[in-house]
Coordinates of all heavy atoms in Angstrom, one line a residue:
A1 N 35.4 73.8 -3.9 CA 34.8 72.6 -3.2 C 33.8 72.9 -2.1 O 32.9 72.2 -2.0 CB 35.9 71.8 -2.8
Y2 N 34.1 74.0 -1.5 CA 33.2 74.4 -0.3 C 31.8 74.7 -1.0 O 30.8 74.3 -0.5 CB 33.7 75.6 0.3 CG 32.7 76.2 1.3 CD1 32.4 75.7 2.5 CD2 32.0 77.4 0.9 CE1 31.5 76.3 3.4 CE2 31.1 78.0 1.8 CZ 30.9 77.5 3.0 OH 29.9 78.0 3.8
G3 N 31.8 75.4 -2.1 CA 30.5 75.7 -2.7 C 29.7 74.6 -3.2 O 28.4 74.4 -3.1
L4 N 30.5 73.7 -3.7 CA 29.8 72.4 -4.3 C 29.2 71.5 -3.2 O 28.2 70.9 -3.1 CB 30.9 71.5 -5.2 CG 31.3 72.3 -6.4 CD1 32.4 71.3 -7.1 CD2 30.1 72.6 -7.4
L5 N 30.2 71.3 -2.1 CA 29.8 70.4 -1.0 C 28.6 71.0 -0.1 O 27.8 70.2 0.6 CB 31.0 70.1 0.0 CG 32.1 69.2 -0.8 CD1 33.2 68.9 0.3 CD2 31.6 67.9 -1.5
S6 N 28.6 72.3 0.0 CA 27.5 73.0 0.8 C 26.1 72.8 0.3 O 25.1 72.8 0.9 CB 27.8 74.5 0.9 OG 27.7 75.1 -0.4
V7 N 26.0 72.3 -1.1 CA 24.7 72.1 -1.6 C 24.0 70.9 -0.9 O 22.8 71.0 -0.6 CB 24.8 71.8 -3.1 CG1 23.4 71.4 -3.8 CG2 25.3 73.1 -3.8
N8 N 24.8 69.9 -0.6 CA 24.2 68.6 0.1 C 24.3 68.7 1.6 O 24.0 67.8 2.1 CB 24.9 67.5 -0.4 CG 24.7 67.2 -1.9 OD1 23.7 67.5 -2.5 ND2 25.7 66.6 -2.6
T9 N 24.7 69.9 2.1 CA 24.9 69.9 3.6 C 23.5 70.4 4.2 O 23.1 71.4 3.6 CB 25.9 70.9 4.0 OG1 27.2 70.5 3.3 CG2 26.2 70.9 5.4
P10 N 23.0 69.7 5.2 CA 21.8 70.0 5.8 C 21.9 71.5 6.4 O 23.0 72.0 6.9 CB 21.6 69.0 7.0 CG 22.4 67.9 6.5 CD 23.5 68.5 5.8
D11 N 20.9 72.2 6.4 CA 20.9 73.6 6.8 C 21.0 73.7 8.2 O 21.5 74.7 8.8 CB 19.5 74.3 6.4 CG 19.4 74.5 4.9 OD1 20.5 74.5 4.2 OD2 18.4 74.6 4.3
D12 N 20.6 72.7 9.1 CA 20.7 72.8 10.4 C 22.1 72.6 11.0 O 22.4 72.9 12.2 CB 19.7 71.7 11.1 CG 20.1 70.4 10.6 OD1 20.8 70.1 9.5 OD2 19.7 69.2 11.3
V13 N 23.0 72.1 10.2 CA 24.5 72.0 10.6 C 25.3 73.0 9.8 O 26.6 73.1 10.2 CB 24.9 70.6 10.5 CG1 24.2 69.7 11.2 CG2 25.0 70.2 8.9
L14 N 24.9 73.7 8.9 CA 25.7 74.6 8.1 C 25.4 76.0 8.5 O 24.2 76.5 8.3 CB 25.4 74.2 6.6 CG 26.3 75.2 5.5 CD1 27.7 75.1 5.8 CD2 25.8 75.0 4.2
Q15 N 26.4 76.7 8.7 CA 26.2 78.2 9.0 C 26.4 78.9 7.6 O 27.6 78.9 7.1 CB 27.2 78.7 10.0 CG 27.0 80.2 10.4 CD 28.0 80.6 11.5 OE1 28.8 79.8 12.0 NE2 28.0 81.9 11.7
R16 N 25.4 79.4 7.0 CA 25.4 80.0 5.8 C 26.2 81.3 5.9 O 26.2 82.1 6.7 CB 24.0 80.4 5.3 CG 23.1 79.1 5.1 CD 23.6 78.3 3.9 NE 22.9 77.1 3.7 CZ 23.1 76.2 2.9 NH1 24.1 76.3 2.1 NH2 22.4 75.1 2.8
P17 N 27.2 81.4 4.7 CA 28.0 82.6 4.8 C 27.2 83.9 4.3 O 26.3 83.8 3.6 CB 29.1 82.3 3.8 CG 28.5 81.3 2.8 CD 27.4 80.5 3.7
D18 N 27.8 85.0 4.8 CA 27.2 86.2 4.3 C 28.1 86.7 2.9 O 29.2 87.0 2.9 CB 27.6 87.3 5.2 CG 26.8 88.7 4.9 OD1 26.4 88.8 3.8 OD2 26.7 89.5 5.8
G19 N 27.3 86.6 1.8 CA 27.8 86.9 0.5 C 28.4 88.3 0.4 O 29.5 88.6 -0.2
W20 N 27.6 89.2 0.9 CA 28.0 90.6 0.9 C 29.3 90.9 1.6 O 30.1 91.7 1.1 CB 26.9 91.5 1.5 CG 25.8 91.5 0.4 CD1 24.5 91.1 0.7 CD2 25.6 92.2 -0.7 NE1 23.8 91.3 -0.3 CE2 24.3 92.0 -1.2 CE3 26.6 93.0 -1.6 CZ2 24.0 92.5 -2.5 CZ3 26.2 93.5 -2.9 CH2 24.9 93.3 -3.2
R21 N 29.5 90.2 2.8 CA 30.7 90.3 3.5 C 31.8 89.7 2.8 O 33.0 90.4 2.8 CB 30.5 89.5 4.8 CG 31.8 89.7 5.8 CD 31.6 88.9 7.0 NE 32.7 89.0 7.9 CZ 33.0 88.1 8.9 NH1 32.2 87.1 9.1 NH2 34.0 88.2 9.7
A22 N 31.6 88.7 2.1 CA 32.8 88.1 1.3 C 33.2 88.9 0.2 O 34.3 89.2 -0.2 CB 32.3 86.6 0.8
M23 N 32.2 89.5 -0.6 CA 32.5 90.5 -1.6 C 33.2 91.7 -1.2 O 34.0 92.2 -1.9 CB 31.1 90.7 -2.5 CG 30.6 89.5 -3.2 SD 29.3 90.0 -4.3 CE 28.0 90.4 -3.1
G24 N 32.8 92.2 0.0 CA 33.3 93.4 0.6 C 34.8 93.2 1.0 O 35.6 94.0 0.7
A25 N 35.1 91.9 1.4 CA 36.4 91.5 1.9 C 37.4 91.6 0.5 O 38.5 92.1 0.6 CB 36.5 90.4 2.5

């Protein structure tokens, strides 16, 4: 749900995640 809803979320209010950090975790 986070991935789907983040598509319509404006960039100025959304702190984009670090994909490499998530994969490393």
Side-chain angles (χ1 to χ4, degrees):
Y2 170 76
L4 295 176
L5 297 182
S6 63
V7 174
N8 295 329
T9 305
D11 292 336
D12 57 343
V13 298
L14 177 63
Q15 185 178 355
R16 295 292 176 182
D18 187 346
W20 289 107
R21 183 186 179 194
M23 288 189 292

